[in-house]
Amino acid sequence: MSSKTFYITTPIYYPSDKLHIGHSYTTVAADAMARYKRLQGYDVMFLTGTDEHGQKIQRIAEEKGVTPKEYVDHIVAGIRELWNLLDISNDRFIRTTDKQHEEVVQKIFKKLYDQGDIYKSEYEGWYCTPCESFWTEVQIKEGACPDCGRPLELTKEESYFFKLSKYQDKLIKHIEENPDFIQPASRQNEMLNNFLRPGLEDLCVSRTTFDWGIPVSFDDKHVVYVWVDALSNYITALGYLTDNDVDYRKYWPADVHLVGKEIVRFHTIIWPAMLMALGEPLPKQIYGHGWLLLEGGKMSKSKGNVVDPVILADNYGVDAIRYFLLREVPFGADGVFSNEALINRINSDLANDLGNLVNRTNAMIQKYFKGQLPEKHQEGEYDKQLEEMALQAPKKVEGYMDSLQFSSALTEIWKLVSRTNKYIDETMPWVLAKDEAKKDRLAAVMYHLAESIRIISVLIQPFMPNTAPIIWDQMGIIKEVETPWASTKIWGKLRKDVKVNDAKAIFPRIDVEKELEALEKIHKKQIKMQQCKQPTAQKEEKQSEYITIDDFAKLDLRVAKIMHAEPVKGADKLLRLELQMGGEIRQVVSGIAKHYSPEDLLGKQVIVVANLKPVKLRGVESQGMILAASDEENLLLVGLDGEMPTGTKVS
Ligand code: MSP
């Protein structure tokens, strides 16, 4: 085994049977990275898993009439199947219900308590179960959650607290001295300016109001609360504080924790503070990637596109999905997912560019040389240019992969694909084939194509683990000798007299219109099924809650434009917005921070409830409310079908 190690993790997923293509994003990215490092000779530990405790799970299980463990066992089996389907090569899968994890979390909690980093106090607040958040009296809106509008429960309970505040200065120093610790850099500034510098409060780390969690070993009416349980997975999975901590000593500190942007805060503040308290080294990097969105909002199965990864992988193949996820959007940024964009990428990049290159080359070698090239070749014009480009590509790809720029790495590989296609046009093999005297030159041209394809096929492996071996088989490339990662840096590794095999199209072209129609049908069917699942009582209740037109007329709804947006200090779900509404500027505080970043909002037209009684949320006055549609995990702002002057009445 290699002495170079590489430890990469994804977040552990909440058990949900609604995992969509956005959820697969973190895992596919981590998988590409793990595969790349393995190809480079690293001893890789790639960890993923599930985050299974909490009141929400307990409630769902109760509603379903099963135990929480039965419920999560069933869901987690589905998540594991999904990762299998997507060819995720994780070395370990941790569940927070694993016995080892539970025991070690108890040890961690006790250690921190014994040394005074965890202390007992009291927590009082309004609790929203779906959001798993506490709210103070000033923040709540008419007894309801300011974020989701659902009813709240007043909860006062004895709790243990972690002395997060004690680590504030040390954390700031660490982040300032280690610019790679939080990536991309924009997320580092966000953490420093919005959370760390304004000041940290101690963190509530135990609960007594539910019991689906890890009991505090020395006070069993408490269970360990959310983040201490979840974040510890990165070290409990390696045997930290157990008799067998070989892996911990070998792989920790992690090289990179890949996480979505909404959980960067927990990973760059709570987690390092916990590790500092434990006296353990900090991870080398936390990388916060962007979201895959549907037309400006977060993803859900009810927004017109088919986002079910199982259906997508069945229809287009796993590699096409993996390619799309990592090619379409630069990794740190948000990007829009649509079925149309996916199909267009498959047609242009995979069927046209790569698929055609392999197919044409294979067919020409069969046609001109009965499938096997002669030993004798004659070099000629354009050869050197192609060779040079092929030799530069791997270095560039490595540079991008080392900084998790998957999309740029793929762009670089596709530049070589295009260059190789261009080489066919330049050398015109069909003309050479007409002249028997040019047979040796024709052989060199075919060899250059095949050799370039070999290099491409090795480079795409981390992203498209199934396609590479298909190309090797079709092109007669010998895996053991001609495909090690280092072989991409040498031109001429392929045997001069390579023999190709019969081939068929790797990525057949898709008829865009027909396919979109078919997907639309699948989508409608899914929506119907969802509606059928909605309990009848709930539907009837909705029908009886009529209001009159006079009731509606009491609402003063206006068009407004977002001129400024910024986070509200100390509240990770709230944004403070300044809205242009006719001649006036309105300040509105809105619970949309988990779904929109401030930059996304600038210039957007929204609908405001303009005559809502002003309230203070986290000390900031909110003079109205903007309208949004939301379900449990998604939220989309309500807008207009075009532009209207601000202040226009909506009725
Ligand atoms: N359980 C926590 C993580 C605890 S880690 C100690 C959690 N789980 S999650 O299931 O909600 O999210 C898992 C991952 O999926 C996160 O990285 C999240 O950002 C990612 N995504 C979920 N929806 C996504 C998109 N629409 N787009 C991109 N990534 C998305 O958070």
Side-chain angles (χ1 to χ4, degrees):
M1 247 310 157
S2 160
S3 58
K4 303 185 290 185
T5 61
F6 185 78
Y7 181 27
I8 182 165
T9 66
T10 72
I12 44 173
Y13 284 72
Y14 292 127
S16 159
D17 55 0
K18 287 192 211 142
L19 289 196
H20 50 62
I21 193 75
H23 286 112
S24 315
Y25 192 52
T26 323
T27 313
V28 167
D31 184 66
M33 199 62 197
R35 286 175 184 273
Y36 161 70
K37 287 288 177 183
R38 283 189 204 110
L39 286 168
Q40 282 199 319
Y42 282 79
D43 172 353
V44 171
M45 170 59 77
F46 168 19
L47 174 72
T48 186
T50 39
D51 185 358
E52 304 181 15
H53 292 122
Q55 190 165 13
K56 202 164 154 186
I57 298 285
Q58 187 166 345
R59 289 253 167 102
I60 300 175
E62 272 163 19
E63 278 162 27
K64 291 187 184 288
V66 293
T67 64
K69 184 67 169 57
E70 282 167 342
Y71 172 69
V72 291
D73 278 352
H74 169 71
I75 301 287
V76 171
I79 294 179
R80 295 183 87 140
E81 258 174 49
L82 175 64
W83 297 154
N84 268 342
L85 173 76
L86 295 178
D87 279 314
I88 304 303
S89 63
N90 54 300
D91 298 287
R92 214 155 277 182
F93 189 98
I94 186 164
R95 299 182 56 178
T96 51
T97 50
D98 289 343
K99 193 160 169 277
Q100 172 168 304
H101 174 80
E102 297 194 339
E103 285 173 1
V104 177
V105 167
Q106 288 182 323
K107 284 188 199 168
I108 290 175
F109 201 96
K110 173 93 173 36
K111 186 170 185 294
L112 296 179
Y113 178 74
D114 288 346
Q115 69 189 39
D117 274 306
I118 284 182
Y119 61 93
K120 199 189 241 181
S121 181
E122 201 168 59
Y123 201 103
E124 183 175 30
W126 291 90
Y127 190 67
C128 175
T129 308
C131 300
E132 291 189 347
S133 303
F134 271 103
W135 301 99
T136 58
E137 199 71 44
V138 249
Q139 293 169 329
I140 63 176
K141 280 186 187 166
E142 292 162 12
C145 172
D147 262 11
C148 71
R150 290 187 181 84
L152 295 164
E153 288 163 38
L154 183 61
T155 322
K156 183 173 181 173
E157 56 175 305
E158 175 190 286
S159 287
Y160 286 94
F161 284 79
F162 172 57
K163 280 190 184 161
L164 191 59
S165 55
K166 176 175 154 190
Y167 294 94
Q168 176 179 320
D169 294 342
K170 234 176 136 184
L171 261 168
I172 295 178
K173 189 164 177 278
H174 183 82
I175 294 169
E176 284 174 345
E177 285 173 0
N178 296 277
D180 284 342
F181 182 60
I182 308 177
Q183 281 296 318
S186 57
R187 309 225 187 273
Q188 174 181 315
N189 299 335
E190 198 185 325
M191 292 304 122
L192 284 170
N193 298 336
N194 297 350
F195 301 108
L196 279 156
R197 289 191 182 123
L200 296 176
E201 281 175 18
D202 289 351
L203 181 77
C204 169
V205 289
S206 82
R207 303 292 311 277
T208 53
T209 46
F210 63 92
D211 53 17
W212 179 238
I214 303 173
V216 171
S217 59
F218 51 90
D219 191 351
D220 64 8
K221 70 176 201 280
H222 288 259
V223 291
V224 178
Y225 182 49
V226 190
W227 288 100
V228 171
D229 172 2
L231 290 161
S232 303
N233 92 85
Y234 300 128
I235 53 177
T236 64
L238 301 180
Y240 176 64
L241 292 186
T242 67
D243 293 340
N244 183 1
D245 65 355
V246 183
D247 283 340
Y248 180 71
R249 282 184 277 117
K250 183 169 173 190
Y251 294 109
W252 191 258
D255 291 271
V256 58
H257 291 312
L258 277 195
V259 300
K261 64 178 184 181
E262 81 284 14
I263 50 175
V264 167
R265 181 156 77 93
F266 308 106
H267 283 80
T268 57
I269 297 178
I270 301 176
W271 180 224
M274 274 173 67
L275 288 164
M276 282 174 175
L278 290 169
E280 300 298 330
L282 306 193
K284 291 178 203 156
Q285 183 170 88
I286 290 107
Y287 195 102
H289 67 70
W291 283 335
L292 221 51
L293 307 160
L294 287 175
E295 291 141 20
K298 245 190 145 183
M299 192 161 277
S300 113
K301 283 189 179 169
S302 56
K303 283 188 189 139
N305 279 285
V306 172
V307 294
D308 184 334
V310 178
I311 299 181
L312 295 174
D314 275 356
N315 281 12
Y316 311 115
V318 171
D319 279 15
I321 306 299
R322 292 174 57 113
Y323 174 80
F324 175 82
L325 286 175
L326 297 179
R327 172 73 196 259
E328 187 72 3
V329 186
F331 196 52
D334 287 349
V336 176
F337 175 86
S338 75
N339 292 146
E340 195 172 352
L342 169 66
I343 296 168
N344 285 338
R345 274 265 172 223
I346 295 177
N347 276 347
S348 71
D349 298 11
L350 302 183
N352 268 6
D353 296 347
L354 178 63
N356 258 348
L357 172 64
V358 177
N359 224 258
R360 283 167 85 190
T361 304
N362 181 290
M364 287 191 286
I365 297 178
Q366 307 238 25
K367 185 170 168 196
Y368 303 140
F369 295 99
K370 297 200 176 71
Q372 180 155 31
L373 293 183
E375 278 281 352
K376 206 162 157 241
H377 299 177
Q378 192 205 328
E379 299 272 318
E381 212 188 344
Y382 308 112
D383 293 2
K384 270 278 156 291
Q385 286 174 27
L386 181 63
E387 285 171 28
E388 268 161 28
M389 176 136 188
L391 288 175
Q392 276 166 16
K395 284 180 224 143
K396 290 189 179 160
V397 169
E398 285 177 355
Y400 287 125
M401 288 302 278
D402 290 338
S403 52
L404 293 113
Q405 293 304 302
F406 302 106
S407 149
S408 304
L410 282 167
T411 306
E412 217 44 64
I413 303 174
W414 256 253
K415 277 188 199 159
L416 179 58
V417 172
S418 303
R419 182 65 191 86
T420 316
N421 272 320
K422 189 172 159 211
Y423 176 85
I424 302 183
D425 300 336
E426 290 165 342
T427 52
M428 294 188 284
W430 50 93
V431 176
L432 297 174
K434 285 187 189 137
D435 186 346
E436 193 52 34
K438 294 197 172 138
K439 204 74 186 172
D440 293 350
R441 175 66 194 131
L442 183 60
V445 168
M446 291 301 118
Y447 183 80
H448 273 71
L449 294 175
E451 176 62 346
S452 187
I453 289 172
R454 179 189 69 81
I455 292 174
I456 292 163
S457 71
V458 178
L459 295 178
I460 61 171
Q461 275 183 96
F463 309 94
M464 308 173 81
N466 301 294
T467 305
I470 296 176
I471 297 179
W472 300 338
D473 184 47
Q474 296 192 355
M475 295 302 298
I477 296 166
I478 300 171
K479 180 172 185 263
E480 293 68 29
V481 195
E482 293 163 350
T483 73
W485 187 261
S487 76
T488 56
K489 294 174 182 154
I490 303 161
W491 181 269
K493 266 276 168 193
L494 189 69
R495 283 121 47 232
K496 284 268 182 278
D497 59 347
V498 66
K499 185 170 185 292
V500 303
N501 298 309
D502 281 349
K504 63 172 193 238
I506 312 175
F507 299 101
R509 263 195 81 82
I510 302 169
D511 181 326
V512 185
E513 271 181 27
K514 267 198 197 152
E515 193 64 24
L516 287 177
E517 249 173 56
L519 287 172
E520 181 65 27
K521 276 192 195 141
I522 297 178
H523 172 70
K524 282 193 177 140
K525 209 164 140 192
Q526 284 180 335
I527 295 294
K528 252 196 191 147
M529 276 161 60
Q530 264 173 21
Q531 284 165 350
C532 291
K533 278 192 207 150
Q534 216 181 67
T536 347
Q538 204 180 320
K539 282 186 218 160
E540 279 164 10
E541 189 189 327
K542 273 190 192 145
Q543 299 229 335
S544 65
E545 284 174 356
Y546 290 125
I547 60 161
T548 66
I549 190 75
D550 295 337
D551 292 332
F552 180 72
K554 286 184 194 156
L555 286 176
D556 185 15
L557 301 175
R558 302 280 172 164
V559 176
K561 190 177 206 164
I562 302 179
M563 309 304 288
H564 177 78
E566 63 180 32
V568 172
K569 276 181 196 147
D572 58 333
K573 293 178 180 165
L574 300 180
L575 290 182
R576 188 183 76 81
L577 309 174
E578 285 171 18
L579 309 173
Q580 179 80 50
M581 202 178 82
E584 64 171 305
I585 293 280
R586 284 273 181 128
Q587 170 172 288
V588 167
V589 177
S590 180
I592 56 173
K594 290 208 156 181
H595 306 272
Y596 290 92
S597 63
E599 331 53 278
D600 296 339
L601 291 168
L602 295 185
K604 250 192 201 316
Q605 284 210 325
V606 288
I607 309 294
V608 187
V609 184
N611 58 345
L612 198 67
K613 192 171 158 203
V615 284
K616 275 202 169 171
L617 298 174
R618 292 267 162 139
V620 184
E621 183 167 271
S622 183
Q623 305 153 337
M625 181 175 95
I626 55 172
L627 297 185
S630 65
D631 61 18
E632 277 193 12
E633 40 181 314
N634 308 286
L635 180 144
L636 276 184
L637 285 176
V638 174
L640 294 174
D641 196 18
E643 282 253 341
M644 285 291 268
T646 66
T648 307
K649 197 165 167 51
V650 179
S651 53

